[in-house]
Amino acid sequence: KSILSNEQKIMKKNKKNINPIWGSNFNKQSNPLLEKINSSIDFDKRLAFQDLKASEVHSLMLKKQKIISSAEYNLIIKGLKKIRTLIQNNKFIFNKKFEDIHMNIEMYLHNLIGEVAGKLHTARSRNDQVATDFKLWIIEALKQICLKIEDLQKTIVKKAALHVQTIMPGFTHLQSAQIVSLGHHLMAYYEMLKRDKNRFLDSINRINECPLGSAALAGTSFPIDRTLTSKLLGFKKPTMNSMDSVSDRDYALEFLSNIAISGSHLSRFGEDIVIWSSDQFKFVTLSDDFSTGSSIMPQKKNPDPAELIRGKMGRFSGNFLNLLTMIKGLPLGYSKDLQEDKEPVFDSYDNFILSIEVINGIIKGIKVNKNEMLNACSKGNLMATDLADWLVINYNIPFRKAYKMIAKIVDIANRKKCQINDLSISDLSLIGNNSGKRIKSFLKIENSINYKRSSGSTSPKEVKKAIQNAKKELF
């Protein structure tokens, strides 16, 4: 109540109801629409703890540099701790009148400790404040993303280890192409996620410079110690150019870009799940807790979670393009447009974390229908390429010649409405000298993946090696 009464006193002195955080050259009350478009507190209150941390460090630096006294520092810190407790307990009142998280905290601090609160803003601006807060938030978000990706990778590796010998069609153009191991297919996504995680980790190195002390755009006349504030906030070093510090958001763009790239991998995984669980494929059965039903068709079991992950990609790419478009035309220095940088970042982060968690749950509960996958390998002459390679290896003929020979065999099988595996020994006698019998013996679908030898291939030996390497990386 005392805090609210102090705020009312401030407003009472301000008879024209001009925003108390602005200068005195305003003589007309703000239009309500201005407050509506100008205020960012509804979303940037998410930066509250980063703002408090930066303020605590900034005030300590001001004390060490003798810009404020120890008594003033102690009063400021006591007030900031009180505000932190109020926010943690959901008792802090966020006020649109004060525009953003920075001024909400500063005005509340003023109500708590009086005029001394104004000294906290010495040698800083909201321009370097928000850049610092935003970087701190994104660095923490990057760490959380990497942890979630690792959880998903662990799930993939465990599932792949169960299906090293489970064979299925591998696709090109969504048409059956060659036989692969399901474990190999799953480990492809492990590799994608590994690169995604490395991109996120790499971006921490580039973001790890502290803007605090750049002030509005030109730096400050006060004898501040930017190295100290950088160190205390966990940054590698201060930024090198004050104008760049407050005006660019390439770190937010990189964050959104990396989410969009990784989101595309999750989207493709979601697409696989949608296809595999369809009645036309029946490769997998989704668990009930990650499926939905239909309000009109009682027999339906829909892969809605996987479809929604696929649909989230529109948000990820849209948020990236949103921020890129906004930044590309700004003159150097801070512009209010930059207030629009946070909502797309927060939205992409929230939906990306949710997508990772959901697809993790889907994979954990998925049931693999091995027989359906095996039966699908009996269609489409999936060993045609294997046979061409076998002819080259065993009869020392050029691959192009072998390719044409196999094409003729496939044509015979098509006319007889069967697979090349089902052809007679005489049909398969391409070269004579008992070749038909040898080819017939070679064309065993279950053994297809065992014939692969190259590093990184779908052979069980290579898949097991990939899984072992992944376990070393993760565990």
Side-chain angles (χ1 to χ4, degrees):
K1 289 182 179 178
S2 61
I3 290 173
L4 289 175
S5 62
N6 285 337
E7 187 175 308
Q8 289 165 357
K9 288 176 184 177
I10 295 172
M11 294 301 186
K12 192 172 182 181
K13 289 179 182 178
N14 187 6
K15 294 179 180 178
K16 294 180 181 178
N17 199 26
I18 307 301
N19 194 313
I21 66 177
W22 297 346
S24 59
N25 58 331
F26 289 85
N27 296 307
K28 188 176 180 181
Q29 182 178 342
S30 298
N31 190 297
L33 287 173
L34 174 61
E35 181 178 296
K36 192 171 183 179
I37 195 172
N38 194 49
S39 174
S40 60
I41 189 60
D42 286 344
F43 53 85
D44 70 15
K45 63 185 178 184
R46 195 160 175 171
L47 301 175
F49 294 116
Q50 286 77 22
D51 197 71
L52 286 167
K53 182 179 180 180
S55 291
E56 289 165 356
V57 166
H58 183 67
S59 62
L60 177 61
M61 181 275 296
L62 292 177
K63 184 194 79 166
K64 285 184 175 292
Q65 295 301 105
K66 302 187 185 310
I67 298 171
I68 63 174
S69 69
S70 293
E72 290 167 335
Y73 165 75
N74 291 334
L75 202 56
I76 289 170
I77 289 297
K78 184 178 179 181
L80 291 174
K81 286 182 177 178
K82 173 67 175 176
I83 293 171
R84 181 184 294 275
T85 301
L86 289 170
I87 294 174
Q88 286 173 337
N89 295 327
N90 296 316
K91 293 182 179 179
F92 188 90
I93 301 171
F94 296 100
N95 192 332
K96 284 190 176 183
K97 191 74 176 178
F98 302 140
E99 298 182 7
D100 54 37
I101 187 59
H102 322 296
M103 293 314 302
N104 265 266
I105 289 175
E106 185 173 326
M107 293 302 292
Y108 212 98
L109 185 64
H110 183 279
N111 291 336
L112 283 172
I113 68 174
E115 293 294 331
V116 175
K119 293 201 171 187
L120 177 59
H121 207 52
T122 305
R124 76 176 186 184
S125 160
R126 282 188 290 174
N127 295 357
D128 62 340
Q129 258 188 284
V130 69
T132 303
D133 294 352
F134 204 22
K135 277 193 169 187
L136 287 171
W137 187 92
I138 289 178
I139 288 173
E140 184 57 35
L142 286 166
K143 293 175 182 178
Q144 292 302 313
I145 284 172
C146 289
L147 289 174
K148 291 294 183 182
I149 288 177
E150 283 186 5
D151 285 343
L152 177 55
Q153 286 179 299
K154 289 175 183 177
T155 299
I156 290 172
V157 169
K158 289 177 182 177
K159 189 67 75 172
L162 298 174
H163 295 285
V164 173
Q165 297 283 356
T166 302
I167 62 172
M168 63 175 291
F171 299 95
T172 61
H173 311 280
L174 197 54
Q175 297 182 53
S176 298
Q178 288 185 273
I179 296 168
V180 298
S181 156
L182 173 58
H184 188 57
H185 190 121
L186 292 171
M187 288 303 293
Y189 285 107
Y190 173 86
E191 293 296 328
M192 295 179 207
L193 289 166
K194 182 168 71 173
R195 292 193 298 275
D196 293 338
K197 185 174 64 177
N198 287 336
R199 269 188 286 270
F200 287 117
L201 290 172
D202 287 345
S203 68
I204 293 178
N205 294 326
R206 280 182 290 280
I207 199 175
N208 204 14
E209 297 182 357
C210 183
L212 195 60
S214 299
L217 80 161
T220 178
S221 303
F222 292 95
I224 62 173
D225 186 346
R226 293 191 65 208
T227 300
L228 175 63
T229 51
S230 297
K231 181 179 178 180
L232 293 176
L233 287 171
F235 288 102
K236 182 172 56 179
K237 63 178 182 177
T239 52
M240 300 304 293
N241 184 287
S242 59
M243 293 186 74
D244 170 54
S245 301
V246 301
S247 67
D248 202 8
R249 293 293 185 272
D250 55 356
Y251 54 90
L253 273 174
E254 186 172 359
F255 182 75
L256 291 175
S257 172
N258 289 340
I259 285 180
I261 292 170
S262 189
S264 72
H265 293 150
L266 299 185
S267 178
R268 295 183 74 179
F269 210 155
E271 172 73 353
D272 277 348
I273 291 166
V274 170
I275 292 172
W276 291 355
S277 62
S278 68
D279 287 338
Q280 289 70 30
F281 279 73
K282 295 181 180 178
F283 285 179
V284 298
T285 302
L286 300 183
S287 60
D288 289 349
D289 57 338
F290 278 96
S291 303
T292 62
S294 166
S295 62
I296 190 173
M297 295 171 285
Q299 82 282 9
K300 291 300 293 295
K301 187 176 183 181
N302 297 324
D304 282 14
E307 292 173 4
L308 286 166
I309 289 170
R310 191 177 58 187
K312 295 289 185 187
M313 188 57 214
R315 298 174 82 122
F316 301 147
S317 58
N319 285 333
F320 171 69
L321 186 59
N322 175 349
L323 186 56
L324 182 64
T325 303
M326 184 262 287
I327 287 177
K328 65 92 181 172
L330 295 183
L332 196 57
Y334 181 84
S335 296
K336 190 67 171 181
D337 312 50
L338 292 173
Q339 181 172 291
E340 295 293 312
D341 60 357
K342 294 163 204 64
E343 286 184 284
V345 167
F346 294 155
D347 181 74
S348 281
Y349 172 77
D350 290 342
N351 283 282
F352 185 58
I353 290 291
L354 177 61
S355 296
I356 295 174
E357 291 174 341
V358 169
I359 205 160
N360 200 348
I362 292 173
I363 297 166
K364 284 180 179 179
I366 210 165
K367 176 189 173 186
V368 176
N369 302 322
K370 294 183 180 181
N371 288 334
E372 295 291 344
M373 288 187 170
L374 176 60
N375 291 337
C377 292
S378 301
K379 304 170 187 176
N381 294 308
L382 302 190
M383 291 192 71
T385 304
D386 295 329
L387 182 54
D389 291 343
W390 185 87
L391 288 176
V392 172
I393 293 169
N394 287 274
Y395 289 93
N396 194 29
I397 58 177
F399 178 80
R400 282 300 169 200
K401 182 178 179 181
Y403 176 95
K404 291 178 181 178
M405 293 169 70
I406 303 306
K408 291 178 180 178
I409 292 294
V410 171
D411 184 55
I412 293 171
N414 288 338
R415 283 189 275 113
K416 292 189 173 184
K417 297 182 179 180
C418 67
Q419 300 293 297
I420 58 174
N421 314 59
D422 303 319
L423 291 174
S424 66
I425 290 176
S426 60
D427 287 332
L428 294 172
S429 295
L430 300 174
I431 303 176
N433 298 325
N434 206 31
S435 64
K437 188 175 181 180
R438 293 184 66 194
I439 290 172
K440 187 73 174 178
S441 177
F442 171 79
L443 290 174
K444 293 179 181 178
I445 290 175
E446 293 83 352
N447 295 327
S448 173
I449 56 175
N450 296 315
Y451 297 130
K452 302 297 185 296
R453 297 181 180 180
S454 59
S455 174
S457 71
T458 192
S459 76
K461 180 181 177 181
E462 289 299 315
V463 176
K464 287 178 182 178
K465 186 190 298 184
I467 290 170
Q468 285 303 117
N469 290 336
K471 287 180 177 179
K472 289 178 183 178
E473 293 167 357
L474 291 171
F475 299 100

